[in-house]
CSV table of all heavy atoms in Angstrom, one decimal:
chain,number,residue,atom,x,y,z
A,209,LEU,N,-1.7,7.9,14.0
A,209,LEU,CA,-0.8,6.8,13.8
A,209,LEU,C,-0.2,7.0,12.4
A,209,LEU,O,-0.8,7.0,11.4
A,209,LEU,CB,-1.6,5.5,13.8
A,209,LEU,CG,-0.8,4.2,13.8
A,209,LEU,CD1,0.0,4.0,15.1
A,209,LEU,CD2,-1.6,3.0,13.5
A,210,GLY,N,1.2,7.1,12.4
A,210,GLY,CA,1.9,7.4,11.2
A,210,GLY,C,2.5,6.1,10.6
A,210,GLY,O,3.4,5.6,11.2
A,211,CYS,N,1.9,5.6,9.5
A,211,CYS,CA,2.4,4.4,8.9
A,211,CYS,C,3.3,4.7,7.7
A,211,CYS,O,3.4,5.8,7.2
A,211,CYS,CB,1.2,3.6,8.3
A,211,CYS,SG,-0.1,3.3,9.6
A,212,HIS,N,4.0,3.7,7.3
A,212,HIS,CA,4.9,3.8,6.1
A,212,HIS,C,4.5,2.7,5.1
A,212,HIS,O,4.3,1.6,5.5
A,212,HIS,CB,6.4,3.6,6.5
A,212,HIS,CG,6.9,4.6,7.4
A,212,HIS,ND1,8.2,4.6,7.9
A,212,HIS,CD2,6.3,5.7,7.9
A,212,HIS,CE1,8.4,5.6,8.7
A,212,HIS,NE2,7.3,6.4,8.7
A,213,ASN,N,4.3,3.2,3.9
A,213,ASN,CA,3.8,2.2,2.8
A,213,ASN,C,4.6,2.4,1.5
A,213,ASN,O,4.2,3.2,0.7
A,213,ASN,CB,2.3,2.4,2.6
A,213,ASN,CG,1.4,1.9,3.7
A,213,ASN,OD1,0.6,2.7,4.2
A,213,ASN,ND2,1.6,0.7,4.1
A,214,TYR,N,5.7,1.7,1.4
A,214,TYR,CA,6.4,1.8,0.1
A,214,TYR,C,6.0,0.6,-0.8
A,214,TYR,O,5.6,-0.4,-0.3
A,214,TYR,CB,7.9,1.6,0.4
A,214,TYR,CG,8.6,2.8,1.1
A,214,TYR,CD1,8.9,2.7,2.4
A,214,TYR,CD2,8.9,3.9,0.4
A,214,TYR,CE1,9.6,3.8,3.1
A,214,TYR,CE2,9.5,5.0,1.0
A,214,TYR,CZ,9.9,4.9,2.3
A,214,TYR,OH,10.5,5.9,3.0
A,215,GLU,N,6.1,0.9,-2.1
A,215,GLU,CA,6.1,-0.2,-3.1
A,215,GLU,C,7.5,-0.4,-3.6
A,215,GLU,O,8.0,0.5,-4.1
A,215,GLU,CB,5.1,0.1,-4.2
A,215,GLU,CG,5.1,-1.0,-5.3
A,215,GLU,CD,4.9,-2.4,-4.8
A,215,GLU,OE1,3.9,-2.7,-4.2
A,215,GLU,OE2,5.9,-3.2,-5.0
A,216,TYR,N,8.1,-1.6,-3.4
A,216,TYR,CA,9.5,-1.8,-3.7
A,216,TYR,C,9.7,-2.4,-5.1
A,216,TYR,O,10.9,-2.4,-5.5
A,216,TYR,CB,10.1,-2.7,-2.6
A,216,TYR,CG,10.2,-2.0,-1.3
A,216,TYR,CD1,9.3,-2.3,-0.3
A,216,TYR,CD2,11.2,-1.1,-1.0
A,216,TYR,CE1,9.4,-1.7,1.0
A,216,TYR,CE2,11.3,-0.5,0.2
A,216,TYR,CZ,10.4,-0.8,1.2
A,216,TYR,OH,10.5,-0.1,2.4
A,217,GLU,N,8.7,-2.8,-5.7
A,217,GLU,CA,8.9,-3.4,-7.1
A,217,GLU,C,8.3,-2.5,-8.1
A,217,GLU,O,7.1,-2.3,-8.2
A,217,GLU,CB,8.2,-4.8,-7.1
A,217,GLU,CG,8.8,-5.8,-6.1
A,217,GLU,CD,8.2,-7.1,-6.2
A,217,GLU,OE1,8.2,-7.7,-7.3
A,217,GLU,OE2,7.6,-7.6,-5.2
A,218,PRO,N,9.1,-1.9,-9.0
A,218,PRO,CA,8.6,-1.0,-10.0
A,218,PRO,C,7.5,-1.5,-10.9
A,218,PRO,O,6.6,-0.8,-11.3
A,218,PRO,CB,9.9,-0.6,-10.8
A,218,PRO,CG,11.0,-0.8,-9.8
A,218,PRO,CD,10.6,-1.9,-9.0
A,219,ALA,N,7.5,-2.8,-11.1
A,219,ALA,CA,6.5,-3.4,-12.0
A,219,ALA,C,5.1,-3.3,-11.4
A,219,ALA,O,4.1,-3.4,-12.1
A,219,ALA,CB,6.9,-4.9,-12.3
A,220,ASN,N,5.1,-3.1,-10.0
A,220,ASN,CA,3.8,-3.1,-9.3
A,220,ASN,C,3.3,-1.6,-9.1
A,220,ASN,O,2.7,-1.3,-8.1
A,220,ASN,CB,3.9,-3.7,-8.0
A,220,ASN,CG,4.2,-5.2,-8.1
A,220,ASN,OD1,3.9,-5.8,-9.1
A,220,ASN,ND2,4.7,-5.8,-7.0
A,221,PHE,N,3.7,-0.7,-10.1
A,221,PHE,CA,3.4,0.7,-9.9
A,221,PHE,C,1.8,0.9,-9.8
A,221,PHE,O,1.4,1.8,-9.1
A,221,PHE,CB,3.9,1.5,-11.0
A,221,PHE,CG,3.4,1.2,-12.4
A,221,PHE,CD1,2.3,1.8,-12.9
A,221,PHE,CD2,4.0,0.2,-13.2
A,221,PHE,CE1,1.8,1.6,-14.2
A,221,PHE,CE2,3.6,0.0,-14.5
A,221,PHE,CZ,2.4,0.6,-15.0
A,222,GLU,N,1.0,0.0,-10.3
A,222,GLU,CA,-0.4,0.1,-10.2
A,222,GLU,C,-0.9,-0.8,-9.1
A,222,GLU,O,-1.7,-0.4,-8.2
A,222,GLU,CB,-1.1,-0.1,-11.5
A,222,GLU,CG,-2.6,0.1,-11.5
A,222,GLU,CD,-3.4,-1.1,-10.9
A,222,GLU,OE1,-3.0,-2.2,-11.2
A,222,GLU,OE2,-4.5,-0.9,-10.3
A,223,THR,N,-0.6,-2.1,-9.2
A,223,THR,CA,-1.2,-3.1,-8.3
A,223,THR,C,-0.8,-2.8,-6.8
A,223,THR,O,-1.5,-3.2,-5.9
A,223,THR,CB,-0.7,-4.5,-8.7
A,223,THR,OG1,0.7,-4.6,-8.7
A,223,THR,CG2,-1.2,-4.9,-10.1
A,224,GLY,N,0.4,-2.3,-6.6
A,224,GLY,CA,0.8,-2.0,-5.3
A,224,GLY,C,-0.1,-1.0,-4.6
A,224,GLY,O,-0.3,-1.0,-3.3
A,225,ILE,N,-0.8,-0.1,-5.3
A,225,ILE,CA,-1.7,0.8,-4.7
A,225,ILE,C,-2.9,0.1,-4.1
A,225,ILE,O,-3.3,0.4,-3.0
A,225,ILE,CB,-2.2,1.9,-5.8
A,225,ILE,CG1,-1.0,2.7,-6.3
A,225,ILE,CG2,-3.2,2.8,-5.2
A,225,ILE,CD1,-1.2,3.5,-7.5
A,226,GLY,N,-3.4,-0.9,-4.8
A,226,GLY,CA,-4.5,-1.7,-4.3
A,226,GLY,C,-4.1,-2.4,-3.0
A,226,GLY,O,-4.9,-2.5,-2.0
A,227,ARG,N,-2.9,-2.9,-2.9
A,227,ARG,CA,-2.4,-3.6,-1.7
A,227,ARG,C,-2.4,-2.6,-0.6
A,227,ARG,O,-2.8,-3.0,0.6
A,227,ARG,CB,-1.1,-4.2,-2.0
A,227,ARG,CG,-0.4,-4.8,-0.8
A,227,ARG,CD,1.0,-5.4,-1.1
A,227,ARG,NE,1.9,-4.4,-1.7
A,227,ARG,CZ,2.6,-3.5,-1.0
A,227,ARG,NH1,2.4,-3.4,0.3
A,227,ARG,NH2,3.4,-2.6,-1.7
A,228,ILE,N,-1.9,-1.4,-0.8
A,228,ILE,CA,-1.8,-0.5,0.3
A,228,ILE,C,-3.2,0.0,0.7
A,228,ILE,O,-3.5,0.2,1.9
A,228,ILE,CB,-0.9,0.7,-0.2
A,228,ILE,CG1,0.6,0.2,-0.4
A,228,ILE,CG2,-0.9,1.9,0.8
A,228,ILE,CD1,1.5,1.1,-1.1
A,229,ARG,N,-4.1,0.2,-0.3
A,229,ARG,CA,-5.4,0.6,0.0
A,229,ARG,C,-6.1,-0.4,0.9
A,229,ARG,O,-6.8,0.0,1.9
A,229,ARG,CB,-6.2,0.8,-1.2
A,229,ARG,CG,-7.7,1.2,-1.0
A,229,ARG,CD,-8.5,1.1,-2.2
A,229,ARG,NE,-8.3,2.2,-3.2
A,229,ARG,CZ,-8.9,3.3,-3.2
A,229,ARG,NH1,-9.9,3.6,-2.3
A,229,ARG,NH2,-8.6,4.2,-4.1
A,230,ASN,N,-5.9,-1.7,0.6
A,230,ASN,CA,-6.5,-2.7,1.4
A,230,ASN,C,-6.1,-2.6,2.9
A,230,ASN,O,-6.9,-2.7,3.8
A,230,ASN,CB,-6.2,-4.1,0.8
A,230,ASN,CG,-6.7,-5.2,1.7
A,230,ASN,OD1,-6.0,-5.8,2.4
A,230,ASN,ND2,-8.0,-5.5,1.5
A,231,TYR,N,-4.8,-2.4,3.1
A,231,TYR,CA,-4.3,-2.3,4.4
A,231,TYR,C,-4.9,-1.0,5.1
A,231,TYR,O,-5.4,-1.1,6.3
A,231,TYR,CB,-2.8,-2.1,4.5
A,231,TYR,CG,-2.3,-1.6,5.8
A,231,TYR,CD1,-2.2,-2.4,6.9
A,231,TYR,CD2,-1.9,-0.3,5.9
A,231,TYR,CE1,-1.8,-2.0,8.1
A,231,TYR,CE2,-1.5,0.2,7.2
A,231,TYR,CZ,-1.5,-0.6,8.3
A,231,TYR,OH,-1.1,-0.1,9.5
A,232,LEU,N,-4.9,0.1,4.5
A,232,LEU,CA,-5.4,1.3,5.1
A,232,LEU,C,-6.8,1.3,5.4
A,232,LEU,O,-7.3,1.8,6.4
A,232,LEU,CB,-5.1,2.5,4.2
A,232,LEU,CG,-3.6,2.9,4.1
A,232,LEU,CD1,-3.4,4.0,3.0
A,232,LEU,CD2,-3.0,3.3,5.4
A,233,GLU,N,-7.6,0.6,4.6
A,233,GLU,CA,-9.1,0.5,4.8
A,233,GLU,C,-9.3,-0.4,6.1
A,233,GLU,O,-10.1,-0.2,6.9
A,233,GLU,CB,-9.8,-0.1,3.6
A,233,GLU,CG,-9.9,0.9,2.5
A,233,GLU,CD,-10.5,0.4,1.2
A,233,GLU,OE1,-10.6,-0.9,1.1
A,233,GLU,OE2,-10.9,1.2,0.4
A,234,LYS,N,-8.5,-1.5,6.2
A,234,LYS,CA,-8.6,-2.4,7.3
A,234,LYS,C,-8.2,-1.6,8.6
A,234,LYS,O,-8.8,-1.8,9.7
A,234,LYS,CB,-7.7,-3.6,7.2
A,234,LYS,CG,-8.3,-4.6,6.1
A,234,LYS,CD,-7.6,-6.0,6.2
A,234,LYS,CE,-6.1,-5.9,5.8
A,234,LYS,NZ,-5.5,-7.2,5.8
A,235,LEU,N,-7.1,-0.8,8.5
A,235,LEU,CA,-6.7,0.0,9.6
A,235,LEU,C,-7.8,1.0,10.0
A,235,LEU,O,-8.0,1.2,11.2
A,235,LEU,CB,-5.4,0.7,9.3
A,235,LEU,CG,-4.8,1.5,10.4
A,235,LEU,CD1,-4.5,0.7,11.6
A,235,LEU,CD2,-3.5,2.2,9.9
A,236,ARG,N,-8.3,1.7,9.1
A,236,ARG,CA,-9.4,2.6,9.3
A,236,ARG,C,-10.6,1.9,10.1
A,236,ARG,O,-11.1,2.4,11.1
A,236,ARG,CB,-9.9,3.2,8.0
A,236,ARG,CG,-11.1,4.2,8.2
A,236,ARG,CD,-11.7,4.4,6.8
A,236,ARG,NE,-12.2,3.2,6.3
A,236,ARG,CZ,-12.6,3.0,5.0
A,236,ARG,NH1,-12.5,4.0,4.1
A,236,ARG,NH2,-13.1,1.9,4.5
């Protein structure tokens, strides 16, 4: 399953990673 995970707000250069990790762990 090929997902797409962009962070669109430059200020979230760190916090966006946690948001994406949360999604990928739930998907796993």
Side-chain angles (χ1 to χ4, degrees):
L209 189 71
C211 305
H212 296 177
N213 289 126
Y214 290 104
E215 174 52 60
Y216 291 100
E217 299 182 57
N220 295 340
F221 63 90
E222 186 277 327
T223 56
I225 297 169
R227 173 179 57 79
I228 294 167
R229 177 192 288 269
N230 177 259
Y231 164 76
L232 291 172
E233 289 175 343
K234 288 193 293 184
L235 180 60
R236 176 196 62 194

